[in-house]
Amino acid sequence: YVAHTTGADTAYFNPAGMSFMDERRYFEGGLTLVHLPSISYTSLIPPLSGESKKENIVVPFGHYVGKPIGDFRWGVSLVVPGGLTKRWETPYQKAYSQEFTLKNLELNPSLSYKVNDSLSIGGGLRMVYSEGVVRSDASDTEMPVSRKLKGDCVAFGYNLALLYKPTDDINLAATYRSKISLDEKGDATLGFMGSSEKYKGSVTVPLPAALVLGASKTWQDNFTLEVNYERTFWSAYKKLDFNYDRPIHPLLIPSFDDPQPKKWKDSNTFRIGATWAMDNGITWMMGYSIDKTPVNKKHINFELPDSDAKIYSMGFSYQATENLSWGMAFLYDDKKATSLKPGEVSNHAVLSNGGKFDDGGAFLTTIGVAYAY
């Protein structure tokens, strides 16, 4: 949804497209319910197997596009650009990742400039509030250690966009979102042999840069196909390194202070979408994506055992009045199982024994309302 943008969410997905919208104000808002099923890990050594908890998360979004001011137009979006949560309660998994949660909320004001009747450029400022929680508890294993860290930060980036219309029925688009370094800082509690100490802790994780190229073609003013290629620059995630304001107990260093290599790779996502506007006010939408994981299997861990995915989506919107419309959509993220050979994962006492991550994925249900005036 980058080349063929028609609603208020154009302000986020391709702000350059605001230049070609009707001369009205546009508003859109809604909620997405994210359901994350359990991920199962089956070890070649059965006592090391486990299963993550199911998660249900409500994600808000909102978009606004103002009226044109000459060749300029402005908009603003409030979105969740990314995040994660994974919790394990089985003994050997929670020793590493009892909870890994990263919440992000982005405010993205944007501006477009209409160069001519065929070309528009745009851009905006990304303001992200982030909050992270990390917990580990090895009390049910032979390692009597634990940790709890909670921190937050405010970080900034930018986005750029272009939309070119060589003909009335073809759109070509490009967008770029900059990398944002999330420097989470807060409080840490580390436990050892029944006692605990408090520290000031910090960790930096990237919200990676992403480049999207898109093209769309419309037939008879009511049926549109769009294809997108997205390159996400996950190679910025080289390691996970927690820092503290003073030295920690020497026996805690291997578990909680040594940098954990990640060495993720840049990933590709290929998308195709169809939009069919009917005479009765209903517009049908369908999508399919192939999403390649950035995770390096050598350094995979329980906080994010990601894998390649195929993504299926469908939905509709209904034009209830001249100004008001509403809609619903559903998305299924089907993750591929990940098999690990003995010794394939380095520096991990459980995963180095070999096994298999299975199930997981995600189900997203969205309801939204739009108003133009």
Side-chain angles (χ1 to χ4, degrees), residues 209-228:
L211 171 69
V212 182
L213 304 177
S216 71
K217 163 72 174 175
T218 300
W219 288 267
Q220 299 179 350
D221 294 327
N222 65 356
F223 183 77
T224 301
L225 280 178
E226 176 168 344
V227 291
N228 290 166

Side-chain angles (χ1 to χ4, degrees), residues 34 60 110 146 158 189 194 228 234 241 253 261 279 325 358 363 373:
V34 181
S110 56
S146 64
Y158 64 90
T189 302
N228 290 166
W234 274 115
D241 188 9
I253 291 176
D279 294 335
S325 64
D358 205 355
F363 298 88
Y373 60 100

Side-chain angles (χ1 to χ4, degrees), residues 24-27 322-324 370-373:
R24 296 185 292 172
R25 297 182 181 93
Y26 289 80
F27 169 81
E322 181 181 354
N323 304 101
L324 178 68
Y371 191 76
Y373 60 100

Side-chain angles (χ1 to χ4, degrees), residues 40-338:
S40 62
Y41 177 69
T42 305
S43 176
L44 297 181
I45 301 176
L48 302 182
S49 299
E51 187 175 80
S52 72
K53 299 187 72 172
K54 298 176 182 178
E55 307 284 353
N56 289 294
I57 308 154
V58 178
V59 177
F61 62 87
H63 309 278
Y64 176 80
V65 175
K67 287 188 173 183
I69 305 173
D71 291 326
F72 290 91
R73 199 162 190 174
W74 71 277
V76 63
S77 295
L78 183 68
V79 298
V80 174
L84 68 92
T85 184
K86 193 58 58 187
R87 294 181 296 165
W88 301 79
E89 291 298 335
T90 42
Y92 288 96
Q93 285 70 36
K94 76 174 185 177
Y96 299 92
S97 304
Q98 185 179 22
E99 179 181 2
F100 259 76
T101 297
L102 183 65
K103 303 176 184 178
N104 297 316
L105 187 65
E106 177 177 347
L107 183 66
N108 186 188
S110 56
L111 186 71
S112 71
Y113 174 69
K114 190 174 184 180
V115 179
N116 54 46
D117 290 340
S118 299
L119 178 65
S120 176
I121 57 176
L125 174 66
R126 306 182 67 193
M127 298 179 284
V128 176
Y129 171 74
S130 179
E131 183 180 288
V133 176
V134 174
R135 293 189 298 140
S136 301
D137 182 5
S139 58
D140 294 334
T141 71
E142 63 277 6
M143 301 181 294
V145 298
S146 64
R147 66 174 167 181
K148 182 178 181 180
L149 301 94
K150 185 175 182 179
D152 59 11
C153 72
V154 176
F156 299 90
Y158 64 90
N159 62 293
L160 303 172
L162 177 147
L163 182 62
Y164 176 56
K165 300 170 72 71
T167 65
D168 290 340
D169 56 354
I170 294 177
N171 292 351
L172 304 175
T175 66
Y176 177 78
R177 299 189 188 280
S178 71
K179 170 192 169 186
I180 297 178
S181 293
L182 303 176
D183 300 318
E184 311 280 343
K185 296 180 180 180
D187 298 317
T189 302
L190 303 183
F192 177 68
M193 297 292 290
S195 63
S196 63
E197 289 194 39
K198 296 185 180 299
Y199 303 82
K200 292 295 182 182
S202 64
V203 64
T204 298
V205 293
L207 197 59
L211 171 69
V212 182
L213 304 177
S216 71
K217 163 72 174 175
T218 300
W219 288 267
Q220 299 179 350
D221 294 327
N222 65 356
F223 183 77
T224 301
L225 280 178
E226 176 168 344
V227 291
N228 290 166
Y229 164 72
E230 181 172 350
R231 180 76 167 179
T232 306
F233 298 96
W234 274 115
S235 56
Y237 191 26
K238 295 178 172 56
K239 62 182 178 180
L240 185 63
D241 188 9
F242 294 95
N243 298 288
Y244 308 94
D245 60 340
R246 66 183 191 277
I248 67 175
H249 192 289
L251 293 179
L252 293 176
I253 291 176
S255 298
F256 301 145
D257 199 25
D258 284 346
Q260 303 173 33
K262 293 299 178 182
K263 298 182 180 179
W264 282 19
K265 57 190 177 184
D266 296 341
S267 62
N268 297 315
T269 302
F270 305 91
R271 312 182 195 277
I272 183 168
T275 304
W276 182 22
M278 303 178 68
D279 294 335
N280 59 4
I282 294 177
T283 298
W284 294 100
M285 295 162 283
M286 294 166 284
Y288 173 72
S289 303
I290 298 174
D291 186 24
K292 297 294 185 180
T293 182
V295 172
N296 184 331
K297 282 178 66 174
K298 184 178 180 181
H299 304 298
I300 198 169
N301 205 334
F302 291 111
E303 86 274 4
L304 190 58
D306 193 40
S307 62
D308 292 346
K310 295 179 180 178
I311 303 173
Y312 309 86
S313 60
M314 65 180 300
F316 73 92
S317 67
Y318 174 62
Q319 193 71 42
T321 70
E322 181 181 354
N323 304 101
L324 178 68
S325 64
W326 63 274
M328 295 185 65
F330 179 77
L331 181 147
Y332 171 50
D333 186 331
D334 181 19
K335 293 289 187 184
K336 183 179 178 181
T338 300

